[in-house]
Amino acid sequence: MSIQEQFNAVARDYDKQRRLFIPCFDNFYGVAVENLTMKTDSPLLLDIGAGTGLFSEMVLKKYPQAHIELIDISSDMLQIAKERLASYPNVTFTKADINDIQPDNNKYDAIISSLAIHHLTDKDKKKVYQKIFCGLKPAGIFMHAEQVLASSKHLQEVYQTTWLNKITKSGLSAKEIEMGLERVKLDKRTPLENQLSWLKEIGFANVDCLFKYYDFVVMKAERL
């Protein structure tokens, strides 16, 4: 099954499952939103791989007057996002592959992404990071909540074993876990250190990992 087909299949149950599949859910998203500090009450944001609009909704609760453009490859996920964000007037939705995004130069106050870019190859990740850099205004923020590959085989085994133990005890059904493991097979994760290095090479400043829980990380970078 393709990425699009797998996420269409799970769209309606995705949010309920996401909290259980992410043992550090509250801190993972909490740190990302807390550090998304805008200089205006009505910023313009782009959410790449927006899924059901979970991350965008958290940002809108902090900045109710924000304008957010959501992009995702799954039409079913975007339908959930439309329902979730129906009360916010300044939100748009586009069905598109992450690789095909072409943000206008110097357009956005912030670009955000959550658990989406890890589906790309390293080559494509670098291309998307370059597009994100160009799409940000000066002082713009890239906030990236993601899963990464460990820096060694041993640590990766520790990460995987710990995660499997936690989701097995989370209340997820055997079928939900099976489907989650199938989606994980689509991942093309990259070590955190590599990605931070790429962001610096592209020209981002103040590049940092703000949060890390095994393979769950929150990266922040700014275009000065």
Side-chain angles (χ1 to χ4, degrees), residues 32 44 63 74 97 129 147 149 155 167 185-186 201 220:
L44 175 60
Y63 294 101
S74 167
D97 189 292
Y129 288 158
Q147 278 182 284
L149 189 68
L155 286 175
I167 66 170
K185 292 178 182 178
L186 298 171
E201 290 171 3
K220 180 181 180 182

Side-chain angles (χ1 to χ4, degrees), residues 131-143:
K131 292 177 183 179
I132 289 170
F133 179 82
C134 293
L136 289 169
K137 296 177 181 177
I141 295 171
F142 174 39
M143 189 65 68

Side-chain angles (χ1 to χ4, degrees), residues 4 19 21 136 214 219:
Q4 180 178 352
R19 180 175 283 277
F21 274 117
L136 289 169
Y214 297 98
M219 293 175 260

Side-chain angles (χ1 to χ4, degrees), residues 40-92:
T40 172
D41 291 332
S42 54
L44 175 60
L45 297 92
L46 175 65
D47 187 348
I48 296 174
T52 61
L54 178 68
F55 196 3
S56 281
E57 182 182 35
M58 294 178 181
V59 174
L60 284 163
K61 287 179 178 179
K62 183 176 181 179
Y63 294 101
Q65 299 177 54
H67 297 246
I68 304 185
E69 301 172 10
L70 287 77
I71 293 176
D72 198 86
I73 196 172
S74 167
S75 54
D76 288 358
M77 287 285 204
L78 284 176
Q79 181 57 41
I80 303 297
K82 290 176 182 177
E83 295 168 11
R84 157 181 260 134
L85 304 176
S87 63
Y88 295 96
N90 302 319
V91 182
T92 61

Side-chain angles (χ1 to χ4, degrees), residues 142-177:
F142 174 39
M143 189 65 68
H144 191 196
E146 186 59 290
Q147 278 182 284
V148 297
L149 189 68
S151 58
S152 71
K153 183 178 179 180
H154 168 71
L155 286 175
Q156 186 60 34
E157 290 173 354
V158 171
Y159 290 4
Q160 183 72 0
T161 299
T162 302
W163 179 69
L164 285 173
N165 286 339
K166 288 183 179 295
I167 66 170
T168 299
K169 300 173 183 177
S170 68
L172 287 162
S173 69
K175 181 63 175 178
E176 288 171 330
I177 292 174

